[in-house]
Amino acid sequence: MNVSELVSKMTLQEKASLLSGGDFWHTQAVERLGIKGYMMCDGPNGLRKQEGSPDHLGKKESIKTVCYPSANALASSFDVDLEKKLGESLGDECNREHISMLLGPGLNMKRSPVCGRNFEYFSEDPYLAGKLAAAFVSGVQSKGVAACPKHFATNNQEYRRMSGNSIVDERTLHEIYLQAFEILVKEAHPKSIMCAYNQLNGTYLSENKYMLTDVLRDKWGFDGFVVTDWGAGKGPAKGVEAGLDLVMPGGGSDHEKAIVAAVESGELSEALVDKAVSRILDVFNWNEENADLDAKPSDDATGKADYALAKELAENSAVLLKNNKALPLEDGKKILFVGEFAKRPRYQGSGSSHINSIYVSNALDAAGDKGVSFARGYDTLDPKSSDNLRKEAVQAAQDADIIVVFAGLPASYESEGFDRDDINLPQDQNKLIDELSHLGKKVVVVLHNGGAVSMPWIDGVDAVLDMMLAGDAVGEATVRLLWGDVNPSGKLAETYPVKLSDNPSFLNFPGDHGNPVYAEGIYIGYRYYEKKRMPVLFPFGHGLSYTEFEYSNYEIDKESITDKDTVNVSIDVWNVGRYAGKEIVQLYVSENDPRVSRPHKELKGFKKIELAPGQSQKVTFTLDKRSFAYYNDKLHDFYVESGDYSVMIGASSSDIRHTISVHVEGTVDLPYNFTTFTPIEDILESRKGKEVLGPVIDKVLAENDKEGGNDESLGEAGAKMFEKMIKEMPVLSLASFGMMSVDDVQKMLDQIN
Ligand code: GLC
């Protein structure tokens, strides 16, 4: 029976039951019509399937399985193929565990580095986040399992996430906070989307028609169903009218009773209820038809998931931030591992993404045959005892050649549910690293962190390898990277600022009573630091390798296009070092002379390539309208200004190797609603304005020059002053200065508008 027939046979009560969860993790069944209840569960870096008492914060038990690296680590791989592979593996695991929908990935923008859930999100850049999220969703859904990207949208802090109001202007909303979701919806067609807890500009996302219907469905073509974050449901009638379909968790009958009452009272149209029911049934019918419930685990899988994949992901995500000839480590040297995280690493975040790991490797065991010695150095649970542990570590370091310090953020520093107060590592760890860096020995720091951290000791250490939250295989991956069995290839997907107060959201985070005003607008992350020419600790896109890469032969196939065309650029990348390695080639675009405020550069392409020593590869990027556009809030859409653009190729946002210019002619006119008070230069920017008003202004300027009307004392600047005065004045001033009549000004405007 198809969905519309099924819906036509349902009672109103049955329909309402399908819009309300059955329990914490299941939808409701309608046995009479053969409709099952379907299970969903978290999350982005592993399967948090609960069989006992449920919760949405990861406090209670879930099945034993493999924990993969968190999103902040995976994003640093810049590897869409690996991201898709993770999605496939999780999709298989969902099928083996009879899970119909996976609640992930998380793709909220990193507005502030202290958001407690940044470990679960990809980036400060929407293009990177969107591409990675799309790869993950494609992977999961290739197995017939629905993905449920989250949290839609502007859920960029944990403080008062269930009640706060994110105040965001339209351009910033679309250009920064929605663009990753837009890329994801258009490229990967997720079967579901989870709406966020918070309000956006005064309306809760769970009943925000602009977001759930106008943008998500009408503008982007989303055809799945919208589910609330757990406990985000508000008034049923407004929710269904706005485009919300399923309220989770279930368990109570309040929501369905309210739906029935709203329909019976005429407050809610039953046709809208039918639409919501249909969307939900369409997705789970698709799951029924496509899920491969006989999926066998891969050779290396534990039957639950794939530890070998977890290791591959960790090895390809780690970022070598600094290396003054300290890495890779060589055998035969006396090496001391210092730090609790060498034995008990922090490898995942806390909250609803938390996984009950089968096995977690640690670096000390993984380096078993390397003859390393160990000193604990600090105690994350009892910092008071760290003083003695630090003394012991300094003592143990006396006869070591190289000291490898395993440091990072303890679980108590960052989590779902609360934000960090700052970006500092624990004081005892900073003191330890500082003291060890004054012993005249080589010092390597290995970090375990879900978000950007400050490094007051950076000048005193020789290398920093950032593992981020690397999942179960963290220990083995770290050792293979330290000894060069794997060459680090990750690059930062978020800027590490020197200090928190440098961050653009600093003055408005978390906002009064949890109501943040996104006053920094589009300038988040590297968009801000670059515009301000502000030095940072490590820039977006930064990451070193044990080998070196050179870029040459940068070419573009057209010098001028319209915004309906595409243009291709290509670059040859060479491995000129002695190690095989992977390079993440990044492409940035900037408008040379924008008429609106725009970032100095924006990421519009990236590719990860693997090269043997001496090998080269040609890397090509295709640019289209959206590579050059910004979101125009008069047009309510992305818009390309005519002008010259710089297309930059680099190894990071601040390591641009080559730049090429291209002219782009915009073919879309901004809506004309010029008045007598519109500045002349705004009218001249439009096609019609240039045609009608252009000759008039040219004549005025020419006559002024002829009459010697410029102020001689200003020299050439006199003509410039006159021209700027004319072009910046309201068009009515042409009449005020007797250059034409008021009627003629109005006639001209009528002709243009
Ligand atoms: C949590 C999280 C969400 C998760 C859900 C179910 O509150 O915000 O990401 O999927 O509840 O655990």
Side-chain angles (χ1 to χ4, degrees):
M1 194 186 317
N2 69 30
V3 166
S4 54
E5 284 169 348
L6 211 46
V7 174
S8 67
K9 294 182 182 313
M10 282 180 184
T11 64
L12 175 58
Q13 176 59 39
E14 288 168 336
K15 293 173 188 176
S17 74
L18 286 181
L19 305 190
S20 330
D23 60 24
F24 213 84
W25 298 118
H26 294 81
T27 59
Q28 294 205 48
V30 181
E31 270 97 17
R32 181 179 75 84
L33 294 169
I35 296 171
K36 284 169 42 180
Y38 293 90
M39 186 170 186
M40 59 193 80
C41 73
D42 297 303
N45 52 277
L47 206 57
R48 185 171 78 90
K49 178 185 178 185
Q50 293 185 312
E51 291 168 328
S53 65
D55 80 302
H56 67 302
L57 289 175
K59 299 196 304 284
K60 297 181 180 166
E61 274 304 289
S62 57
I63 62 167
K64 286 266 186 202
T65 188
V66 166
C67 176
Y68 296 101
S70 296
N72 73 310
L74 275 171
S76 307
S77 75
F78 278 72
D79 193 325
V80 289
D81 297 332
L82 274 184
E83 195 68 55
K84 182 170 184 181
K85 214 169 154 185
L86 171 58
E88 290 164 350
S89 180
L90 285 169
D92 277 337
E93 190 180 357
C94 283
N95 283 330
R96 290 196 291 270
E97 294 292 337
H98 298 281
I99 300 291
S100 300
M101 182 158 92
L102 182 71
L103 304 173
L107 56 152
N108 294 89
M109 284 293 103
K110 300 190 181 186
R111 174 175 179 248
S112 166
V114 295
C115 169
R117 260 181 116 172
N118 273 356
F119 67 88
E120 209 174 329
Y121 302 148
F122 292 109
S123 180
E124 65 193 34
D125 180 88
Y127 179 85
L128 176 61
K131 292 294 184 182
L132 292 168
F136 180 97
V137 166
S138 301
V140 171
Q141 298 192 158
S142 71
K143 303 294 181 178
V145 175
C148 181
K150 60 191 184 182
H151 308 88
F152 189 68
T154 69
N155 176 185
N156 304 103
Q157 63 191 54
E158 288 303 288
Y159 179 63
R160 292 201 179 185
R161 62 175 176 160
M162 297 187 79
S163 61
N165 180 22
S166 300
I167 299 158
V168 195
D169 68 273
E170 186 180 345
R171 177 182 175 194
T172 300
L173 179 65
H174 285 270
E175 203 166 306
I176 299 297
Y177 294 95
L178 296 186
Q179 192 164 187
F181 283 100
E182 180 185 4
I183 292 169
L184 164 65
V185 165
K186 290 180 176 175
E187 293 189 7
H189 312 290
K191 294 294 179 181
S192 180
I193 287 255
M194 183 187 293
C195 73
Y197 284 120
N198 54 280
Q199 301 170 70
L200 168 63
N201 297 330
T203 304
Y204 279 100
L205 266 302
S206 56
E207 48 191 39
N208 194 311
K209 182 181 173 302
Y210 173 71
M211 291 287 282
L212 303 185
T213 297
D214 302 349
V215 172
L216 191 55
R217 292 194 165 100
D218 296 350
K219 206 174 179 75
W220 295 350
F222 172 68
D223 60 0
F225 71 82
V226 176
V227 60
T228 59
D229 198 341
W230 266 234
K234 300 285 177 297
K238 284 175 79 177
V240 175
E241 279 167 355
L244 172 67
D245 301 301
L246 177 62
V247 169
M248 291 299 285
S253 58
D254 296 348
H255 182 70
E256 53 197 90
K257 283 180 187 156
I259 292 268
V260 171
V263 171
E264 285 170 349
S265 69
E267 186 193 357
L268 174 61
S269 127
E270 187 161 0
L272 289 179
V273 172
D274 292 355
K275 257 189 191 174
V277 170
S278 302
R279 290 184 195 123
I280 294 167
L281 290 178
D282 280 338
V283 169
F284 290 117
N285 282 356
W286 167 86
N287 166 249
E288 286 276 356
E289 289 154 16
N290 293 281
D292 173 6
L293 299 184
D294 302 323
K296 295 287 172 283
S298 66
D299 301 348
D300 305 301
T302 61
K304 295 277 184 183
D306 197 335
Y307 180 83
L309 174 61
K311 190 157 73 168
E312 181 186 7
L313 296 174
E315 290 171 354
N316 283 278
S317 301
V319 182
L320 182 60
L321 293 173
K322 177 178 182 181
N323 187 23
N324 285 346
K325 300 186 177 59
L327 294 177
L329 298 176
E330 293 156 13
D331 289 336
K333 297 275 187 188
K334 285 189 282 182
I335 294 170
L336 172 69
F337 278 10
V338 177
E340 179 186 304
F341 282 175
K343 280 185 88 166
R344 278 204 312 281
R346 176 137 180 271
Y347 65 97
Q348 66 169 321
S350 307
S352 59
S353 67
H354 193 80
I355 297 305
N356 185 5
S357 295
I358 299 168
Y359 161 71
V360 180
S361 62
N362 67 71
L364 194 57
D365 291 349
D369 60 351
K370 308 273 185 193
V372 304
S373 47
F374 173 70
R376 185 169 176 183
Y378 56 84
D379 183 330
T380 52
L381 296 177
D382 177 18
K384 286 189 302 304
S385 64
S386 292
D387 285 349
N388 289 334
L389 292 169
R390 184 170 59 252
K391 289 193 184 88
E392 289 166 14
V394 170
Q395 184 55 45
Q398 297 310 323
D399 61 356
D401 298 322
I402 299 179
I403 308 160
V404 184
V405 189
F406 291 74
L409 296 172
S412 58
Y413 273 58
E414 56 177 351
S415 168
E416 176 176 346
F418 62 83
D419 301 311
R420 282 193 280 167
D421 297 326
D422 52 49
I423 58 172
N424 303 330
L425 293 173
Q427 201 43 44
D428 56 354
Q429 293 184 30
N430 280 332
K431 275 176 84 172
L432 170 68
I433 296 168
D434 183 54
E435 285 190 27
L436 292 170
S437 67
H438 286 90
L439 300 180
K441 314 265 180 179
K442 285 266 184 200
V443 176
V444 174
V445 177
V446 178
L447 289 174
H448 307 72
N449 51 308
V453 291
S454 58
M455 303 178 203
W457 33 260
I458 188 67
D459 294 336
V461 303
D462 301 283
V464 179
L465 177 67
D466 195 345
M467 296 303 293
M468 306 201 182
L469 298 182
D472 285 347
V474 56
E476 290 174 33
T478 302
V479 168
R480 280 167 48 81
L481 287 156
L482 286 173
W483 267 271
D485 301 323
V486 175
N487 188 353
S489 64
K491 298 203 174 189
L492 290 182
E494 68 172 298
T495 307
Y496 283 13
V498 171
K499 58 187 186 301
L500 177 59
S501 55
D502 288 348
N503 179 268
S505 69
F506 182 70
L507 295 179
N508 292 282
F509 188 97
D512 296 340
H513 313 295
N515 302 312
V517 178
Y518 287 35
E520 72 283 354
I522 59 173
Y523 294 104
I524 82 167
Y526 70 89
R527 287 171 166 78
Y528 173 79
Y529 301 116
E530 290 226 338
K531 191 84 175 179
K532 288 272 285 183
R533 293 181 172 73
M534 183 184 285
V536 295
L537 181 59
F538 292 108
F540 175 86
H542 168 77
L544 303 176
S545 170
Y546 294 148
T547 192
E548 292 78 38
F549 297 99
E550 279 181 7
Y551 293 44
S552 62
N553 196 17
Y554 186 33
E555 294 176 331
I556 191 165
D557 65 356
K558 295 172 199 140
E559 287 177 4
S560 180
I561 60 170
T562 74
D563 60 11
K564 292 191 171 70
D565 306 320
T566 60
V567 61
N568 297 304
V569 295
S570 64
I571 187 84
D572 290 341
V573 182
W574 297 78
N575 179 346
V576 296
R578 56 195 184 92
Y579 282 90
K582 296 180 181 177
E583 173 67 334
I584 298 165
V585 183
Q586 300 158 50
L587 180 134
Y588 295 87
V589 175
S590 94
E591 184 178 357
N592 294 356
D593 182 19
R595 264 83 78 204
V596 292
S597 178
R598 296 194 72 175
H600 270 178
K601 64 168 75 89
E602 295 178 276
L603 183 74
K604 295 295 179 182
F606 60 90
K607 283 205 178 137
K608 190 164 194 174
I609 59 173
E610 185 162 13
L611 296 172
Q615 189 185 6
S616 74
Q617 181 176 329
K618 185 177 288 293
V619 180
T620 303
F621 296 96
T622 298
L623 293 140
D624 61 12
K625 168 179 179 176
R626 287 294 288 270
S627 306
F628 304 99
Y630 74 89
Y631 184 90
N632 183 287
D633 54 16
K634 293 188 180 57
L635 203 61
H636 305 296
D637 201 354
F638 282 88
Y639 166 73
V640 176
E641 259 182 359
S642 301
D644 294 333
Y645 291 78
S646 295
V647 181
M648 297 161 264
I649 289 272
S652 88
S653 60
S654 66
D655 179 4
I656 297 302
R657 303 290 177 86
H658 296 282
T659 299
I660 234 166
S661 184
V662 62
H663 179 80
V664 185
E665 199 57 33
T667 58
V668 173
D669 285 339
L670 290 177
Y672 302 158
N673 40 19
F674 301 132
T675 71
T676 50
F677 302 117
T678 304
I680 285 171
E681 64 185 358
D682 287 358
I683 301 173
L684 291 176
E685 260 183 37
S686 68
R687 191 180 319 287
K688 283 298 288 297
K690 203 181 292 175
E691 195 183 297
V692 175
L693 179 61
V696 173
I697 299 306
D698 291 346
K699 187 161 170 280
V700 165
L701 297 178
E703 277 170 9
N704 174 63
D705 288 350
K706 207 165 53 187
E707 289 156 13
N710 299 322
D711 179 337
E712 294 305 319
S713 67
L714 288 174
E716 278 180 21
K720 180 182 169 186
M721 180 191 76
F722 182 77
E723 180 174 355
K724 284 192 72 63
M725 184 274 287
I726 290 289
K727 288 190 174 175
E728 291 175 16
M729 72 184 189
V731 67
L732 182 63
S733 305
L734 290 172
S736 316
F737 290 110
M739 296 166 187
M740 65 192 321
S741 71
V742 173
D743 285 352
D744 287 347
V745 170
Q746 192 52 59
K747 278 192 199 115
M748 192 167 51
L749 284 174
D750 296 344
Q751 202 182 339
I752 293 167
N753 282 332

